[in-house]
Amino acid sequence: MITLGIETSCDETAIAIIKDRRILSSVVSSSMHLHRRYGGVVPEIATRYHVEVINYCLKEALKESRLDLKGIDLISVTQGPGLIGALLIGISYAKALSFSLNCPVIGVNHVIAHLWANYLTDSRPPLPFIGLVISGGHTSLFEVKAPDKYRLLGQTQDDAAGEAFDKVAKILGLGYPGGPIIEKSAAQWDFSDWPVFSIPSAMDGRLLDFSFSGIKTAVLYHVRAKGGPEKLKKKQISGIARGFQEAVCDALTAKAVSACSAAGIKNLAIGGGVSANMTLRRKLAGAARLNGLKLFIPSPALCLDNGAGPAILGNSLFKKGIRSSEYMSGFADFEKRS
Ligand code: KG4
Ligand code: ZN
């Protein structure tokens, strides 16, 4: 079965074509460069960008997969959560394609699509599994029993992990998006350098919930006390980036393991942009070994927003007989169905 996946929930316009579980093409066009000067995503700019590039993304995806539109059997589109204007571009595009090709369309949950990216790899998580989604908008733990059956176990009480990376990078004057820049800066620190200042742990709060705003504020006060990021040496910035990254990754790892033991489930699947972080991947792999868990993480490219995640999730839902209405709109509509 050939599935076309469309993702426009935030600042990436992404279209992928998959055949069963194999990716034939995956095109991602990001408007990140347009948001950089504002230090975060500007919804109106993201939305307009989707309108401008979505047709080109489709053309490129078809070219890469050597297919034409008549070869598509199913269209799967991110229905939410996300920026409503941005989502509506993908949804309208998917509905128009579905109407003109007379092919079924299905709206999928962006957060669950991040977890389902694991089904595009060779080692696929058996159900049930504990899913940890860590992105710019979400930090959530789920018990997943099926593509349409999942239960929220815990989530962030303030900033999402990716959002905290982005905000701390801004405080340190490093730019946007923060995750990859903090990771690079942290890698430049070594033990002979400036000491990492004492960063509070991110372990407070209820057992399976997260909180990252405390560490972010600790970084802010520390940098302010030093007279701002311009007054810090590169090594000092690396030390802060390193300490912050350690604290966030430790909390994510510990709570993912706690969720597995609380639910008595041995399979742990990760997804979302922050799971591209190598320190986190190492910590999770170590904790999984220690606790006898099987860990599943997609390749870094599939951790970030892409069209293949929605495509594979749509495909699984379709096989279960789930369909979306041609009148589907944004997330409110979606939640009614779930
Ligand atoms: O999943 P994603 O592409 O989009 C959302 O659904 O939000 O995640 C984007 C987030 C951004 O906050 C970005 O800073 C973070 O993922 N991110 C990372 C890394 N790469 C991206 N965070 C930590 N380390 C990384 N290597
Ligand atoms: Zn995402």
Side-chain angles (χ1 to χ4, degrees), residues 234-274:
K234 205 170 163 203
K235 296 279 185 189
Q236 284 174 296
I237 292 195
S238 295
I240 297 169
R242 167 81 171 234
F244 166 79
Q245 180 175 264
E246 288 288 313
V248 172
C249 296
D250 283 343
L252 291 170
T253 305
K255 299 214 171 188
V257 171
S258 298
C260 290
S261 56
I265 292 176
K266 293 281 180 194
N267 304 308
L268 173 62
I270 317 289
V274 180

Side-chain angles (χ1 to χ4, degrees), residues 25-247:
S25 61
S26 180
V27 176
V28 180
S29 177
S30 177
S31 57
M32 204 178 281
H33 57 289
L34 301 174
H35 306 288
R36 217 161 252 146
R37 58 193 289 209
Y38 304 103
V41 176
V42 181
E44 181 66 18
I45 294 176
T47 304
R48 283 166 193 257
Y49 186 85
H50 293 312
V51 177
E52 277 171 32
V53 304
I54 197 163
N55 252 327
Y56 296 104
C57 291
L58 177 63
K59 272 193 187 158
E60 193 55 35
L62 289 168
K63 196 168 130 199
E64 249 181 53
S65 60
R66 299 180 185 187
L67 284 172
D68 69 32
L69 276 174
K70 289 192 206 85
I72 307 294
D73 301 309
L74 171 69
I75 298 164
S76 176
V77 60
T78 302
Q79 195 176 357
L83 306 171
I84 190 63
L87 286 167
L88 285 175
I89 304 304
I91 295 170
S92 311
Y93 197 75
K95 288 198 291 189
L97 274 178
S98 147
F99 182 69
S100 62
L101 299 171
N102 193 23
C103 121
V105 62
I106 190 152
V108 302
N109 181 327
H110 177 67
V111 180
I112 303 301
H114 270 306
L115 293 176
W116 239 253
N118 282 291
Y119 288 96
L120 293 159
T121 61
D122 288 338
S123 70
R124 300 184 291 271
L127 292 161
F129 64 77
I130 294 297
L132 170 65
V133 182
I134 5 170
S135 66
H138 293 85
T139 303
S140 311
L141 273 164
F142 294 95
E143 179 182 347
V144 181
K145 293 193 171 150
D148 59 335
K149 278 201 183 64
Y150 40 86
R151 187 165 68 93
L152 184 67
L153 300 176
Q155 62 185 331
T156 183
Q157 299 300 297
D158 37 61
D159 292 342
E163 186 183 358
F165 269 95
D166 295 336
K167 288 179 176 170
V168 165
K170 196 172 174 188
I171 293 167
L172 294 173
L174 293 176
Y176 175 84
I181 312 179
I182 296 249
E183 182 168 21
K184 198 165 159 212
S185 172
Q188 284 156 6
W189 182 86
D190 74 58
F191 286 94
S192 57
D193 286 331
W194 295 87
V196 174
F197 89 103
S198 160
I199 299 229
S201 133
M203 298 298 289
D204 302 342
R206 283 182 290 148
L207 182 64
L208 299 179
D209 285 330
F210 300 88
S211 169
F212 299 109
S213 69
I215 339 178
K216 175 197 69 188
T217 309
V219 173
L220 177 69
Y221 288 168
H222 179 75
V223 173
R224 268 197 201 151
K226 298 280 174 194
E230 351 29 89
K231 294 279 188 311
L232 294 172
K233 298 206 163 56
K234 205 170 163 203
K235 296 279 185 189
Q236 284 174 296
I237 292 195
S238 295
I240 297 169
R242 167 81 171 234
F244 166 79
Q245 180 175 264
E246 288 288 313

